[in-house]
Amino acid sequence: MTICAFPLAIPGAPSGGKPDQLHDHARRLFPICRSITGEGIRQTLSYIGEYIDNFHIHHIGSGTQVFDWQVPLEWNVRTARICRTNGEVVIDFAQSNLHLVQYSTPMRARVSRDVLQEHLYSLPDQPDLIPYRTSYYNESWGFCVSEHQRAALTDAEYDIEIDTDLRPGVLSYGEVRIPGKQADEVLFSVHCCHPSLANDNLSSIAIAIELVRALQAGPARRLSYRFVFIPGTIGAITWLAINRNTVDRIRHGLVLSCLGDEAPPTYKQSRQGDAPVDRYAAYLLSRWPGAQIVPFEPYGYDERQYCSPGFNLPVGCLMRSRNGTFAQYHTSADNLDFITPAALAGSYRMIANMIAMMEADTTLTSLNPFCEPQLGRRGLYKVIGGTNTTEAEPGHAIDQMTLLWVLNLADGTHSLLDIADRSGKPFGAVMAATHALSKAGLVRANAD
Amino acid sequence: MTICAFPLAIPGAPSGGKPDQLHDHARRLFPICRSITGEGIRQTLSYIGEYIDNFHIHHIGSGTQVFDWQVPLEWNVRTARICRTNGEVVIDFAQSNLHLVQYSTPMRARVSRDVLQEHLYSLPDQPDLIPYRTSYYNESWGFCVSEHQRAALTDAEYDIEIDTDLRPGVLSYGEVRIPGKQADEVLFSVHCCHPSLANDNLSSIAIAIELVRALQAGPARRLSYRFVFIPGTIGAITWLAINRNTVDRIRHGLVLSCLGDEAPPTYKQSRQGDAPVDRYAAYLLSRWPGAQIVPFEPYGYDERQYCSPGFNLPVGCLMRSRNGTFAQYHTSADNLDFITPAALAGSYRMIANMIAMMEADTTLTSLNPFCEPQLGRRGLYKVIGGTNTTEAEPGHAIDQMTLLWVLNLADGTHSLLDIADRSGKPFGAVMAATHALSKAGLVRANAD
Amino acid sequence: MTICAFPLAIPGAPSGGKPDQLHDHARRLFPICRSITGEGIRQTLSYIGEYIDNFHIHHIGSGTQVFDWQVPLEWNVRTARICRTNGEVVIDFAQSNLHLVQYSTPMRARVSRDVLQEHLYSLPDQPDLIPYRTSYYNESWGFCVSEHQRAALTDAEYDIEIDTDLRPGVLSYGEVRIPGKQADEVLFSVHCCHPSLANDNLSSIAIAIELVRALQAGPARRLSYRFVFIPGTIGAITWLAINRNTVDRIRHGLVLSCLGDEAPPTYKQSRQGDAPVDRYAAYLLSRWPGAQIVPFEPYGYDERQYCSPGFNLPVGCLMRSRNGTFAQYHTSADNLDFITPAALAGSYRMIANMIAMMEADTTLTSLNPFCEPQLGRRGLYKVIGGTNTTEAEPGHAIDQMTLLWVLNLADGTHSLLDIADRSGKPFGAVMAATHALSKAGLVRANAD
């Protein structure tokens, strides 16, 4: 049986993330034909803006130079179909927006079967599925069809109708910042350029919407949180170009992708490999049977850009099934049945716990560093000595041993996670002990 | 069969440590009712002072502030017993000084069986044994009894007589320093606050007495040695408060505890984990089958204080059975039968070897660092070349390969232990090669 | 079946190294009686000088102080034999130059069987073989014989005739430098002081001759290459004494020895253990089944001198069978049958590949460090997006993923080998990707 819910709760994690609510977002966004530019992504951003406050949608003109790239022409589709010469429609974009290779140029022509075949993409090993393909930077046209559909195209000639626009316009992305006590930021990056693919990446859009809502509705946080909803690659590059001088405030970052299927989670490390975000993920995923940590590689999602050598930001990527490794990936089988309310909620909870760790983690400075303080007169220590235990006595909720560990490692260099790792105590127990010792005036959190 | 004697000898280890002598100290100190203050610990210190020179006994007044703590009231016991209302004595401190919870307040009253039961401590799983309990910092009274004794207390009422003093006085500890050529010190810390418990810690008191005698009688040493005989926790805190400004001369330190039972040794690492003392212990214990190294944790003996973050001294803890892990721990079964002369002597020898390593270890500087020196003309190399060996020829006591290793690593950064570790040669062989090369004017010990 | 040829080719490796040519050098040099001084080594150097340009032969007078040593007297042999008293020659240097212990002093005397026996060296476990022995620094005489020969010496007396010279002369060594664009050097050190022993070390002399020829005939290199042909120990010490102030230009070094037998290669690490040369060897040998890496120890060949603490040069030692571990080592069985043309050529190729790595390795600096550059418009990226692969499409010879790795790690700190190690991509693929990206103006090699 697959575990969908995260089996651990870190105090202070944002609440929210109802299973049905998450799946409902995906369901409503599913029919839209998104691409890296155009009406589809703008409709999607508008939908997001209905649920969250202070959502800013930015439009960047085609041709704008962003580092080594230029913002491309805007692409929109009215219709696209393959018809028999008798007018019968055999492949229709209206049936599935995956049918048209993204950024196909407009055309209207009768072509031979041989020419048509060269412009078709199908999956011989998965004959029922339509693949998803793009041609953003190479002017071309093509149709994605199932292997069965391809086999049925036996006429000598077909009429191609691709009624698309490819002309100067804008690239659009959305952004929201939830300010905290500190300017240091946590970045969540969500690509929203794919058409009707549910796991990749409506799952993450849905989760991000609900995380923003929970953070906006919840108590003030120590860190600031920024969510960007962007087209993949060119969107991340554009955002980084515009925000180049302020990205150094990003303390932790996560690219969210494919978070709705029921597989155990996969965390792909940042290029740094040992950044705090990598360690939080390792801590949490080590409690989830079957979860896997994979090392950074410069291929995948927008961590490629955030982790390019000039930036080298502490940004990892969180998924359930890893991109490229599941049968439904980039096909018509990545549909609303493939993602489940329970899996979406489990992913939400995992991220919420990671946020709780980011909020709580800090180094500590002991205000009583020479010898142990006398915990007994502060009500923090067992009364009868000589016993062979540090377990809490009745009425002492705080684990005695964890108190001693926190005091011992409160030297300004060990973080709460360091203390949890060295002591083997749960992070939540370290938080509780820190809280009690802080109240007693024995330690000071350096992050506050 | 249990090995009691240390199976290795490092040249230069202090001699002494006769098995019967060690056990005899424990036997003579056993009856005394020690506590963290009072006549018992003073009698114990007086006994120690009879055997060693320059022993200083310090008395610190009750109420003196020592870091976060205050020196407590002094506690002394005249009598303590539970009597039937007809005057029959059923539990008597005179029978076992474990019967009275340490620091029990004076009282004289008739109490109901129910009230009495709330003031009794026993061990349901070990019904024959009396536990050892304390209540130093919580004014209270209580008796420790065997489970059988508890069961026999069936009368409706009992008369309690606790004739103790709890009043301003002093905390006493003893200290001896054996000066060496250098001011850098090795600290041995021995708690001597427990009543009639043989392994914990008369074993260590006995061993420490004999180590001091051997060091005082033996040749001058490079390092200085300090032994402190202190009440646990408050004694270590008091000593650290008084010596706060000079503890930085402590190069290596060991807390000695539970050194008389026949289990293989346990070494608990310092907080640093890789201090030289940790490495000496690892080297020696790796030669003792069944010995174990356990990582630091902020619970146990006075290493808790020496390793508090403000001090972070290189102080480990050496034991046979680890505290809290053996059935006799803190019970009446920790008696003179539990500790054996052979085990005491084995522990003594292990510490003596560690002292020899502390004395000998140093980095070396080659006085001929460019290419190998010509060992042959110094009588340090085999005569006939071309053979496939570096074994010493008859008449060459020094292992050839060890000579070459010492020369090669005499670069001012490798210690003798580093050389032993990298070469796989015994520490004693590295010492011998160093001595020969030093005599030949080829290397210089940087510690001298 | 033993693999003799190196199963990998790094682009840019020197060509040459024909199997028969290599074996022919060994065959022609085999009969010469070499020692650390004398006519034999001078004949050998003359032979080498016939094949390579700019070869310099140096002669250093006996008695010259070189660090802790003095250049010894020069030793030459005319005849040496053991005769029966009737004049019958039973052991004759003319039959095998191994028969005479090297540096045997001249003598002519009739000796008893007992005295003779004390001056004989044989191998009880290998009764057919003559051992190789020396007595450079201890005036003495002796014969090396097979165990059978020793057993046959049953007469009461024998006549010894040793017609040798041991008188002031010179120590000779040869040296060639192939200058590159940079003054930084790669040092190859080849001992050539052994008499008729084929693997130890005619194998390496033959390989070194051909490597020099290939480097002199081939294209200009980035690094400079220096080959020294020296007597073992005293020759390396002499060379280091003379070149003391310029050895800091040695970037990588290899002692070559025993490179002609058919065992898989052995690489002995430099004292540093993680020098680039150690990592090149590890990379290459990890591709050769059965190859072994052994840690540095201060015994073996002239790496002992190069890695003495005053120098600590990055010099490892490359062998097939390791010295002292094979039955033929330092015996008459180390003959021309023991080394094979194929094995010599395999060793040659391994070193040639290591040279290619030394030449190519460099850190890279990205000229487009912020986000990925747009590879597509430079013809370096696949055209159709959405597929689940980074494999090169037809016409794209460069592995896509390797391109991305090189770009991502072109941060001025990662070398090509670091990139190969982290990415798991072959070093040759990393070289090709670097070349393509360099041509496209996207990265700059810092070593150029």
Side-chain angles (χ1 to χ4, degrees), chain C residues 45-322:
Chain C
L45 296 173
S46 291
Y47 177 91
I48 296 167
E50 288 170 28
Y51 288 87
I52 64 184
D53 299 330
N54 301 314
F55 189 58
H56 297 284
I57 301 177
H58 302 263
H59 304 290
I60 315 297
S62 298
T64 304
Q65 190 73 29
V66 286
F67 294 121
D68 191 55
W69 303 62
Q70 286 189 346
V71 172
L73 298 176
E74 182 173 326
W75 184 69
N76 284 291
V77 189
R78 273 176 298 273
T79 58
R81 52 196 193 177
I82 303 173
C83 303
R84 303 181 72 171
T85 52
N86 66 4
E88 184 191 338
V89 179
V90 287
I91 301 294
D92 191 350
F93 172 83
Q95 291 290 318
S96 165
N97 57 33
L98 297 181
H99 273 319
L100 185 63
V101 170
Q102 292 225 329
Y103 268 65
S104 282
T105 46
M107 80 166 291
R108 190 175 193 95
R110 177 163 296 181
V111 299
S112 71
R113 191 179 59 191
D114 285 356
V115 167
L116 176 59
Q117 286 290 335
E118 288 171 9
H119 287 262
L120 296 183
Y121 299 88
S122 61
L123 300 166
D125 295 340
Q126 297 173 295
D128 294 323
L129 305 185
I130 309 165
Y132 159 65
R133 292 290 178 269
T134 67
S135 186
Y136 302 136
Y137 300 103
N138 183 49
E139 292 213 353
S140 171
W141 65 270
F143 284 87
C144 298
V145 295
S146 75
E147 193 68 12
H148 296 313
Q149 287 172 324
R150 184 197 279 264
L153 295 170
T154 55
D155 294 0
E157 293 185 320
Y158 287 91
D159 286 328
I160 304 301
E161 296 175 37
I162 300 178
D163 185 9
T164 56
D165 281 338
L166 188 59
R167 60 176 66 155
V170 296
L171 175 148
S172 306
Y173 70 84
E175 187 171 20
V176 57
R177 183 169 183 274
I178 303 116
K181 292 175 198 153
Q182 299 178 3
D184 287 346
E185 283 188 2
V186 182
L187 174 71
F188 288 93
S189 178
V190 183
H191 67 274
C192 44
C193 52
H194 287 189
S196 297
L197 297 174
N199 202 30
D200 184 9
N201 197 22
L202 298 178
S203 63
S204 304
I205 295 171
I207 288 168
I209 290 170
E210 292 303 306
L211 282 169
V212 172
R213 291 178 74 190
L215 288 167
Q216 288 184 333
R221 299 274 167 183
R222 179 163 69 85
L223 298 167
S224 297
Y225 290 81
R226 184 179 299 271
F227 287 73
V228 296
F229 297 84
I230 53 176
T233 305
I234 187 65
I237 293 168
T238 300
W239 186 84
L240 281 163
I242 291 170
N243 295 278
R244 177 174 182 170
N245 296 321
T246 51
V247 292
D248 58 356
R249 67 189 166 198
I250 295 174
R251 180 87 68 86
H252 318 291
L254 276 178
V255 170
L256 304 183
S257 180
C258 300
L259 285 166
D261 68 278
E262 296 209 335
T266 302
Y267 176 74
K268 177 182 165 184
Q269 294 175 323
S270 77
R271 181 180 185 271
Q272 299 176 29
D274 59 354
V277 68
D278 298 317
R279 295 184 59 208
Y280 301 143
Y283 179 86
L284 292 171
L285 269 66
S286 70
R287 272 78 179 168
W288 190 315
Q292 62 173 338
I293 306 280
V294 298
F296 176 76
E297 62 174 29
Y299 189 68
Y301 292 104
D302 287 325
E303 66 278 6
R304 293 163 71 161
Q305 313 308 330
Y306 300 119
C307 297
S308 57
F311 290 116
N312 196 25
L313 295 172
V315 176
C317 176
L318 193 64
M319 299 165 273
R320 301 294 286 252
S321 286
R322 188 181 186 184

Side-chain angles (χ1 to χ4, degrees), chain B residues 43-63:
Chain B
Q43 284 173 38
T44 303
L45 295 173
S46 292
Y47 177 92
I48 296 168
E50 289 171 26
Y51 288 87
I52 64 182
D53 299 330
N54 300 315
F55 190 58
H56 298 284
I57 302 177
H58 303 262
H59 305 290
I60 314 299
S62 299

